[in-house]
Amino acid sequence: MYIDQNAIITAASVISALVVIFSAIFAVYRWYLKQNQQDKEIEKIKSEQCLLTYGILACLKGLKEQGCNGPVTEAIDKIEKHINKQAHDQEG
């Protein structure tokens, strides 16, 4: 079997094309995995923020029970409105 320059060039071209195609596919796959990981992190952060919001609301309600008014009542109202709005936005 005789291998000339054209056969070597053709083989190198095919191999290069395959490497480029697989590199592109691998890059897209890595991007997809990264997006899934970011989605999980976002859900974790949202869960933590929810707990913090409920904790702050509980503290503000405790202050209101002790007689603090004004900004405390306003903050409670704003947080409760925000929680209700978020609950209704997530249902739809």
Side-chain angles (χ1 to χ4, degrees), residues 38-56:
Q38 287 178 348
D39 289 344
K40 289 177 186 176
E41 285 293 319
I42 289 170
E43 287 302 316
K44 182 179 172 184
I45 290 169
K46 284 182 178 181
S47 175
E48 289 175 1
Q49 280 185 325
C50 181
L51 289 174
L52 291 172
T53 301
Y54 283 122
I56 291 171

Side-chain angles (χ1 to χ4, degrees), residues 14-30:
V14 170
I15 291 171
S16 297
L18 289 174
V19 167
V20 168
I21 290 169
F22 285 122
S23 296
I25 291 170
F26 185 67
V28 169
Y29 179 69
R30 285 183 52 205

Side-chain angles (χ1 to χ4, degrees), residues 34-90:
K34 187 176 180 182
Q35 294 302 313
N36 284 342
Q37 183 180 6
Q38 287 178 348
D39 289 344
K40 289 177 186 176
E41 285 293 319
I42 289 170
E43 287 302 316
K44 182 179 172 184
I45 290 169
K46 284 182 178 181
S47 175
E48 289 175 1
Q49 280 185 325
C50 181
L51 289 174
L52 291 172
T53 301
Y54 283 122
I56 291 171
L57 184 60
C59 292
L60 289 171
K61 286 184 176 183
L63 286 171
K64 187 174 180 179
E65 286 177 6
Q66 292 180 2
C68 297
N69 284 325
V72 172
T73 305
E74 183 181 330
I76 290 171
D77 291 340
K78 284 184 178 183
I79 290 174
E80 287 177 341
K81 285 179 185 177
H82 175 75
I83 290 171
N84 287 332
K85 183 181 178 217
Q86 289 297 109
H88 291 295
D89 286 346
Q90 290 179 0

